[in-house]
Amino acid sequence: MELQRKDVGIVAMDIYFPPTCVLQESMEAYDGVSKGKYTIGLGQDCMAFCTELEDVISMSLTVVTSLLENYHIDPRDIGRLEVGTETVIDKSKSIKTWLMQIFEKCGNSDIEGVDSTNACYGGTAALLNCINWVESSSWDGRYGLVVSTDSAVYAEGPARPTGGAAAIAMLIGPNAPIALEGKFRGSHMAHVYDFYKPNLASEYPVVDGRLSQTCYLMALDFCYRRYCSKYEKFEGKQFSLSDADYFVFHSPYNKLVQKSFARLYFNDFLRNSSSIDKGAREILEPFSSLTGDESYQSRDLEKISQQVAKHLYDTKVQPTTLVPKQVGNMYTASLYAALASVLHDKDGTLGGQRIVMFSYGSGLASTMFSFRLQDGQHPFSLSNIASVMNISEKLKARHVFPPEKFVETMKLMEHRYGAKDFVTAKDTSLLPPGTFYLTEVDSMYRRYYTQKKGAEDANGGESITSGNHSLANGHK
Ligand code: ACO
């Protein structure tokens, strides 16, 4: 049988972030930094974090279960499952294998794929793998499923306010409303020590903040030029910012996104693109002779290019920023949370539009690629995806913790990282119904998770154990 595989991409999406967060404004006061440093300087509003009840595994269990239920997908219809993460809980056992509990109980253990890790890039590696699988001769007609899940936590200091946590699940298949434009892709991969996690006894990274910013912007330049040249090769005309409706960036914090879009604008100016108007051209002219290195160090260029690009930023980037500003850096989920933001913001008006994506993972791995959007058929329509993700309600339902409580939680998590033989708090009142949570890590480091019962589920929650899976209560 000939399988149809046109317009392969994201067919459906769901997002989960912890219901616990801290306001950046209150973190400024608590940390004793100048007012505005985190909210204006970094451009962040709020930061989500996992309490002892949640981690990257529980968030993945929650979001995958929710996606399958919300779009009425039979777990037997998943043929490949890939997880992107940089939050290492086990150096051997993949998060994908924990997720298999959802599928095994339906008799489906025939699912390829494991985890991909390279800082914030793992989700993109997983996405491209799954799309390639659907487009390959190995495809058996079933869906792929990509999960990006991370808890971004930093030691006390300047990087701490750039944390966050979330999991995103994306169903992959043909006739997708968010279809990958496979030919237009530019990557840049290199060896650098900008952000890395060499200390296996700690969840915190070693970060060279300044270097990571420069590496990000350099990678962006390389990827944009390569994306443009592929576009020009296949389309026979120059690409410029005017050829895409939205630009979605990996978002460690919003200020870097503002700088990144300005950098693309400067690239268009250097490439002599017709999209740059005469006034902006004259303003940027004095910077045209800077070397690459000089241009990354020039504060004047940074400021002026942000000013001349501001009108385009407001239409092409600002609608992608809601979740990253409210939740913080979600590492592998960050880019896809920004995509979710524009689907939410432009609900029902995106058909026919192009979205350019920039994925960056320190170390480093980076790719620019693009999606072409189409309205899609229910339940896989763009408007239903926005309604399933229900971002406004999820943001509204969160519980704001004072900074003291956040710091106390970070201390407990430091102590628990890599630990065994403990049980977690019994109080799950802050978790929404249907959320999975950690109950225990036993003397063999096996982790036990339970699902908080839903409003409609009067029979009690569902237990998922870490060993040979056993599901205590039936699941619809
Ligand atoms: N009001 C308004 N703005 C202010 C204020 C204030 N009171 N105080 C400072 N600022 C501005 C600064 O001018 C600066 O703006 P600029 O970037 O336009 O120059 C900004 O706030 C940040 O201040 P810095 O002093 O530069 O911040 P610091 O060096 O203390 O930390 C950093 C910032 C490096 C981003 C740190 O949070 C970090 O290391 N984060 C983790 C690394 C990271 O996220 N890298 C990004 C790519 S890699 C990845 O995704 C993990």
Side-chain angles (χ1 to χ4, degrees), residues 34-37 41 158 162 210 212 250 252 255 259 299 362:
S34 58
K35 192 168 165 46
K37 180 168 180 187
T162 60
R210 290 266 159 260
S212 74
H250 165 56
K255 178 64 87 60
K259 291 180 187 180
R299 301 283 294 165
S362 292

Side-chain angles (χ1 to χ4, degrees), residues 410-452:
M410 290 300 105
K411 291 217 166 86
L412 174 64
M413 302 297 256
E414 283 167 23
H415 181 66
R416 287 274 170 83
Y417 188 68
K420 61 177 178 175
D421 241 343
F422 65 86
V423 292
T424 60
K426 297 276 176 282
D427 181 5
T428 62
S429 57
L430 298 185
L431 300 178
T435 307
F436 283 84
Y437 60 96
L438 179 69
T439 56
E440 183 187 352
V441 177
D442 74 10
S443 59
M444 295 274 289
Y445 295 94
R446 292 175 300 198
R447 306 175 78 84
Y448 295 78
Y449 295 87
T450 293
Q451 187 179 24
K452 181 172 171 174

Side-chain angles (χ1 to χ4, degrees), residues 288-334:
S288 59
S289 56
L290 294 182
T291 64
D293 279 352
E294 286 166 347
S295 75
Y296 298 117
Q297 305 311 324
S298 169
R299 301 283 294 165
D300 288 343
L301 170 60
E302 200 175 84
K303 227 180 278 156
I304 285 168
S305 56
Q306 279 181 70
Q307 281 162 11
V308 291
K310 172 86 170 61
H311 65 294
L312 288 180
Y313 176 89
D314 289 345
T315 52
K316 291 178 188 282
V317 185
Q318 195 279 331
T320 74
T321 59
L322 175 68
V323 180
K325 282 172 74 120
Q326 283 291 327
V327 175
N329 193 356
M330 297 149 265
Y331 290 160
T332 54
S334 219

